[in-house]
Amino acid sequence: MAHDGQTLAPNVYDSEPIPEAARAEIDRLLSSGDLFRYTAPCDAPVALLESEFAALLGSRYALAVSSCSAALFLALKALDLPRGAKVLIPAFTFAAVPSSVVHADCEPVLVEVGENYRVDMEDFARKLPGAGAVMISHMRGHTSDMDAIMRLSDAAGIPVIEDAAHSLGTVWGGRNIGTVGKVGCFSFQSYKLVNAGEGGIMITDDPEIAARAIIMSGAYETNWKKHPGLSNSCAHWQNKLPLYNLRMQNLSAAVIRPQLPLVAERVEKGRAGHDRVAAVLNGSIHLAVPEPLGPELRAPDSIQFNLVGDWTDQQALDFQAAAKGRGITVQVFGLTEGNARAFWNWQFLGDAPELPRTRAMLMRACDVRLPTRLTEAELDYIAEAILDSAKDVRG
Ligand SMILES: *Cc1c(COP(=O)(O)O)cnc(C)c1O
């Protein structure tokens, strides 16, 4: 809790402690020095994490790597797209997503995103023909219309990669997000539901994609034999693909594994906390939290809302300042200098494309962290602080 005059604003940046069970395993690894995933003949922590994660999500194969960005890159490389292939991505995402496309020697095509933070399906359908792949980033855990995306992509024979970095635990029409497309990628970076500092994992049911990604992740010589069920495919690809060495090490797996049984509880708490704050914000005529889509059961650990009506940029900045005065950090995506989620800041892509819908959304969309550990009193403090700050500016 941080002091803010007489009030106590909750600290939304601190992490939760790592479960006690991680300590004994880390101690064991430190004592033996067995940190490399391929040293032990079997049951290395990274290998156990892969089988546990695949079981948790209901997919056939999982490959743990150094980050979600690495997983996105490997997923694209594993699709064996021709150099310069177009990859559709939502224009509202984190800079790591277009970066992974650039690393894979492909060309990102940015698709408009509506004020509900989801892919604009008209723009998607218009830009899809001729694409080599689709990479759907479920930004901040908001799921785009995966039924429509899969229908259009399947009809065109275009593979879909899901960037589920922020969607662990989200369910779409009864299916786990990350298992709807051909490949799903998740993050264990500290601001995600499972915290290992850094780390990522990709899942797929496709043995060829899994094998190719395993080889390229750095399973050199015969290390691929430690990935169950893929011998034929891995033997085929060994030495035919370059190694990028994006492996996860055992210490990370030791930190992640005891958190997996906590995912369901964190998802429940996160959703309840989000909906509690959303109900308060939606009581204001100046603020709106977009509804989830029908088939979507979300797993949020932050809240996004729009400033609705004729807010000026200055009023939006005043609102941010008023919230800050109450100890709450509100980020208007498009109004924070150099924001990595504003597409016009991705200068590595060249000139920013014309995307008026996404731009308008980013200029009025607000972002507030709501870690799942917050108490109801802390959530209520945040909700009231946001509401009062809007009142300060808009009356
Ligand atoms: C965090 C995040 C990433 C990047 O994950 P890393 O593990 O840090 O590489 C990619 N996409 C989204 C939507 C994210 O939230």
Side-chain angles (χ1 to χ4, degrees):
M1 305 283 270
H3 258 287
D4 167 47
Q6 313 99 313
T7 57
L8 288 171
N11 181 332
V12 296
Y13 288 96
D14 285 358
S15 300
E16 280 182 79
I18 303 303
E20 191 61 33
R23 278 174 208 278
E25 178 67 349
I26 289 171
D27 243 15
R28 186 184 73 81
L29 293 168
L30 294 185
S31 308
S32 63
D34 180 15
L35 305 184
F36 182 53
R37 66 163 297 170
Y38 291 128
T39 302
C42 61
D43 290 345
V46 178
L48 294 174
L49 166 65
E50 288 169 343
S51 62
E52 288 161 3
F53 197 86
L56 180 69
L57 272 288
S59 66
R60 283 176 74 184
Y61 309 106
L63 172 66
V65 290
S66 51
S67 68
C68 181
S69 302
L72 294 169
F73 163 75
L74 285 172
L76 280 170
K77 293 298 288 183
L79 291 177
D80 195 25
L81 303 169
R83 190 173 277 267
K86 290 185 173 16
V87 177
L88 264 57
I89 63 169
F92 175 43
T93 184
F94 184 58
V97 174
S99 300
S100 73
V101 178
V102 170
H103 281 311
D105 293 317
C106 294
E107 186 193 325
V109 175
L110 277 52
V111 179
E112 286 268 41
V113 169
E115 51 193 35
N116 67 351
Y117 318 132
R118 290 160 174 92
V119 168
D120 173 336
M121 289 310 303
E122 257 179 53
D123 198 42
F124 180 88
R126 194 163 36 242
K127 289 172 176 169
L128 186 66
V134 167
M135 184 177 272
I136 295 298
S137 192
H138 304 299
M139 187 55 178
R140 287 289 191 272
H142 299 283
T143 313
S144 291
D145 185 347
M146 289 308 289
D147 292 344
I149 287 167
M150 293 311 298
R151 192 167 54 243
L152 291 167
S153 304
D154 284 348
I158 299 171
V160 175
I161 297 169
E162 290 181 80
D163 167 17
H166 234 136
S167 292
L168 182 55
T170 297
V171 173
W172 175 267
R175 295 171 70 182
N176 287 321
I177 275 299
T179 66
V180 180
K182 220 170 186 41
V183 184
C185 301
F186 296 84
S187 175
F188 302 120
Q189 185 269 342
S190 285
Y191 292 168
K192 317 296 159 118
L193 204 70
V194 170
N195 165 25
E198 302 284 0
I201 198 163
M202 65 172 268
I203 56 172
T204 184
D205 285 342
D206 185 314
E208 291 307 302
I209 290 177
R212 295 165 60 86
I214 286 166
I215 297 291
M216 287 187 280
S217 76
Y220 60 92
E221 294 169 352
T222 55
N223 285 315
W224 50 264
K225 289 187 177 168
K226 291 172 183 169
H227 293 269
L230 287 163
S231 290
N232 290 342
S233 303
C234 284
H236 174 76
W237 291 111
Q238 186 196 13
N239 293 329
K240 297 197 181 67
L241 296 169
L243 306 174
Y244 296 99
N245 286 10
L246 299 165
R247 295 173 300 255
M248 179 181 278
Q249 62 138 323
N250 283 337
L251 286 174
S252 305
V255 171
I256 294 164
R257 290 181 60 219
Q259 294 182 64
L260 295 186
L262 307 178
V263 167
E265 188 190 323
R266 288 179 183 174
V267 168
E268 287 291 317
K269 271 203 80 185
R271 189 184 307 135
H274 171 278
D275 292 353
R276 186 180 179 96
V277 175
V280 175
L281 302 192
N282 279 329
S284 163
I285 56 164
H286 305 299
L287 308 173
V289 181
E291 286 291 312
L293 300 185
E296 180 186 13
L297 200 51
R298 301 190 58 222
D301 60 4
S302 63
I303 190 165
Q304 289 70 44
F305 56 94
N306 294 321
L307 306 177
V308 291
D310 53 351
W311 289 70
T312 63
D313 285 356
Q314 189 54 53
Q315 286 174 324
L317 291 168
D318 292 346
F319 166 68
Q320 281 191 151
K324 192 93 194 156
R326 293 179 169 90
I328 301 303
T329 300
V330 177
Q331 262 200 7
V332 181
F333 290 102
L335 287 174
T336 35
E337 189 66 27
N339 196 303
R341 298 147 203 93
F343 65 86
W344 53 87
N345 288 323
W346 305 337
Q347 293 175 29
F348 54 87
L349 296 184
D351 291 337
E354 288 294 319
L355 295 160
R357 269 201 90 178
T358 310
R359 183 180 287 268
M361 177 275 285
L362 289 168
M363 295 306 281
R364 295 293 176 268
C366 302
D367 191 26
V368 175
R369 287 173 53 76
L370 289 181
T372 61
R373 64 176 160 75
L374 295 183
T375 64
E376 290 188 342
E378 290 173 322
L379 292 162
D380 292 347
Y381 178 94
I382 293 172
E384 292 303 324
I386 294 170
L387 211 56
D388 290 345
S389 303
K391 272 191 212 135
D392 285 355
V393 178
R394 300 284 300 193

